[in-house]
Amino acid sequence: MIKGTFPIKKFDALETPFYYYDIELLHKTLDIIKKETENKPYHIHYAIKANSNPRILKEIAAYGFGADCVSGNEVLRALEYGFPAEKIAFAGVGKTDREINIGLDNDIFSFNVESLPELARIDFLAKQKGKTANVALRINPNVDAHTHKYITTGLTENKFGLNEQDIPAALQIITQSAHLSLIGIHFHIGSQITDLSSFENLCVRFLELQQQFNEKGATLKTINVGGGLGINYQHPNHCPIADFEAYFRVFEKYLKLQDGQTLHFELGRSVVASCGTLISRVIYEKQGVSKKFLIIDAGMTDLIRPALYQAFHHIENISSDGGLTKYDVVGPICESSDVFVKDIWLNEAQRNNLIAIRSAGAYGEVMVSQYNCRELPKSYFSDTL
Ligand SMILES: *Cc1c(COP(=O)(O)O)cnc(C)c1O
């Protein structure tokens, strides 16, 4: 059984649970993304919500990438850790006045607008400040991302984005305003998408929609296709980096850009998921009626994805080479959904063995809570441990 390599001796001195980030793997991932997009009119806006740990943000910002934010505080955090305002895209269905004003005051790259009332509100607030807001219309392309229902966002009846029939009204608001500048169009069809044909369909839909805009006299300078590229949660040791080459090739092939157009990507999970691991210790091994439970000191308060989306994370006992034993790995939280995985084969475990929950770098640390009055997990980095 191939397992990840971890500095176990160093872990011994640390209180569990904690997040451990492999900075070398993060760099390798960022290097590939950079290589695949440089010399093309492609721009990356890292989706801050996947992981907003300051160290991680600084690493990503150092590559010159932009940011995708979904709250005013994310905009402020992106600025604080080195993302330039002119590369910040701001999405979200419920932007408040305070949040819109943060974007206006900092002259961000774009407001990705999700409803007609929001468009009118941005116009009103921009007018108050005597500014012009760059807006991109987030359209629901009605493309099925073939992913979990909680992370599908591109279907018609959905709280996110504008529907196709809203386009004329949106264009009318923009044309009549002296404070709105239409820079383009935005999509985000969902997350953890591993079937690349969903992105092909998105490209085809874009070309149809572009024609509609052009017929109404509107040109689209920026095309933002959102994020959503999935990673391999099953095999973190064999496939630690998403297939960015194949991903970008889809857009190159199916989305022919016109002169002067730029293509924007808001990748989150695929950038940071693999480099993060939640490290935990075994508290008890408990024999049930017909199965064994491994009770560990990490719970859904430290990593909620399994409880929230039935998400799978590969788990390893990194302290033991003992015979393989079947376990349900569970946390200590007083909720029946506090289960990391059922019926998994692990090296036989003993109290205090270290358990690695892999691919936890995205939507992990950002979603921690203090439910049950728990401590928040700390984070450590491979190059400074
Ligand atoms: C969450 C989100 C992303 C990032 O999605 P990933 O699946 O993590 O790549 C990009 N754009 C928007 C608007 C989002 O809400």
Side-chain angles (χ1 to χ4, degrees):
M1 185 193 267
I2 299 183
K3 291 199 275 192
T5 44
F6 293 98
I8 295 176
K9 284 257 148 51
K10 288 179 179 167
F11 285 177
D12 277 341
L14 303 175
E15 229 176 88
T16 47
F18 60 85
Y19 275 90
Y20 174 74
Y21 293 104
D22 180 344
I23 295 296
E24 195 190 333
L25 178 57
L26 177 61
H27 285 166
K28 273 191 196 160
T29 308
L30 293 167
D31 286 338
I32 289 176
I33 297 171
K34 185 157 190 169
K35 184 177 139 253
E36 293 295 331
T37 54
E38 66 191 354
N39 307 322
K40 293 192 190 113
Y42 288 7
H43 299 269
I44 302 293
H45 303 262
Y46 165 65
I48 299 281
K49 76 172 188 285
N51 188 317
S52 54
N53 184 301
R55 174 72 203 280
I56 301 287
L57 294 186
K58 281 188 222 165
E59 293 296 336
I60 298 171
Y63 275 73
F65 296 142
D68 162 53
C69 300
V70 292
S71 75
N73 284 354
E74 279 194 359
V75 174
L76 293 176
R77 188 175 277 225
L79 291 167
E80 184 181 352
Y81 292 104
F83 293 92
E86 68 273 15
K87 293 184 181 178
I88 293 179
F90 184 9
V93 296
K95 299 181 192 76
T96 63
D97 286 4
R98 173 185 164 267
E99 294 180 305
I100 292 168
N101 283 328
I102 289 171
L104 290 170
D105 289 340
N106 289 288
D107 299 314
I108 59 170
F109 167 68
S110 82
F111 288 91
N112 294 340
V113 175
E114 311 224 10
S115 67
L116 296 174
E118 181 196 333
L119 189 59
R121 196 67 195 167
I122 294 171
D123 177 40
F124 174 82
L125 294 169
K127 188 173 177 185
Q128 274 191 343
K129 290 184 182 286
K131 290 209 167 196
T132 302
N134 292 326
V135 295
L137 299 179
R138 176 171 179 174
I139 310 285
N140 266 324
N142 209 14
V143 168
D144 194 341
H146 301 291
T147 184
H148 190 276
K149 63 180 187 299
Y150 285 2
I151 49 177
T152 292
T153 52
L155 293 172
T156 302
E157 226 31 282
N158 200 297
K159 74 170 180 174
F160 299 101
L162 294 155
N163 292 318
E164 202 176 331
Q165 54 275 27
D166 297 327
I167 293 172
L171 287 178
Q172 195 174 12
I173 294 173
I174 294 167
T175 319
Q176 287 171 355
S177 165
H179 301 275
L180 297 174
S181 167
L182 178 71
I183 62 160
I185 193 168
H186 173 234
F187 307 99
H188 176 64
I189 58 173
S191 202
Q192 185 51 22
I193 298 168
T194 49
D195 177 357
L196 293 181
S197 69
S198 298
F199 295 116
E200 284 179 31
N201 294 339
L202 176 61
C203 294
V204 172
R205 279 294 287 145
F206 163 72
L207 293 171
E208 291 167 9
L209 287 163
Q210 171 162 262
Q211 204 162 3
Q212 276 196 41
F213 277 87
N214 292 348
E215 280 162 11
K216 295 187 174 67
T219 50
L220 302 171
K221 197 168 164 305
T222 70
I223 302 129
N224 185 334
V225 291
L229 177 62
I231 64 139
N232 190 329
Y233 280 98
Q234 308 287 333
H235 301 109
N237 298 311
H238 295 289
C239 307
I241 300 179
D243 192 351
F244 289 103
E245 199 188 325
Y247 172 72
F248 289 114
R249 206 166 38 218
V250 167
F251 293 95
E252 206 164 17
K253 185 165 170 201
Y254 294 94
L255 208 162
K256 293 279 178 243
L257 294 174
Q258 297 169 353
D259 273 353
Q261 280 186 327
T262 54
L263 188 55
H264 298 251
F265 301 87
E266 300 173 332
L267 297 171
R269 183 192 311 274
S270 55
V271 181
V272 291
S274 303
C275 76
T277 302
L278 180 61
I279 304 290
S280 171
R281 278 195 177 85
V282 174
I283 313 177
Y284 300 112
E285 190 200 54
K286 171 174 160 177
Q287 180 65 55
V289 179
S290 60
K291 50 169 58 185
K292 276 187 176 162
F293 293 96
L294 204 58
I295 303 170
I296 62 174
D297 63 5
M300 62 191 283
T301 52
D302 307 297
L303 178 66
I304 201 174
R305 298 189 66 257
L308 189 60
Y309 320 115
Q310 294 110 40
F312 174 83
H313 286 265
H314 180 73
I315 296 182
E316 297 167 352
N317 180 348
I318 56 174
S319 304
S320 161
D321 292 322
L324 292 180
T325 307
K326 206 190 234 183
Y327 292 108
D328 280 12
V329 180
V330 303
I333 310 298
C334 296
E335 295 290 339
S336 303
S337 58
D338 185 28
V339 174
F340 286 107
V341 68
K342 288 187 175 170
D343 297 322
I344 191 188
W345 294 95
L346 293 181
N347 294 111
E348 184 159 35
Q350 289 178 353
R351 184 174 166 80
N352 284 333
N353 279 177
L354 290 165
I355 302 296
I357 305 178
R358 306 290 303 277
S359 316
Y363 308 106
E365 196 182 355
V366 281
M367 290 199 194
V368 297
S369 83
Q370 289 195 297
Y371 180 47
N372 289 192
C373 289
R374 283 169 59 84
E375 300 284 330
L376 293 178
K378 291 196 172 64
S379 53
Y380 298 97
F381 305 91
S382 56
D383 59 343
T384 53
L385 192 65

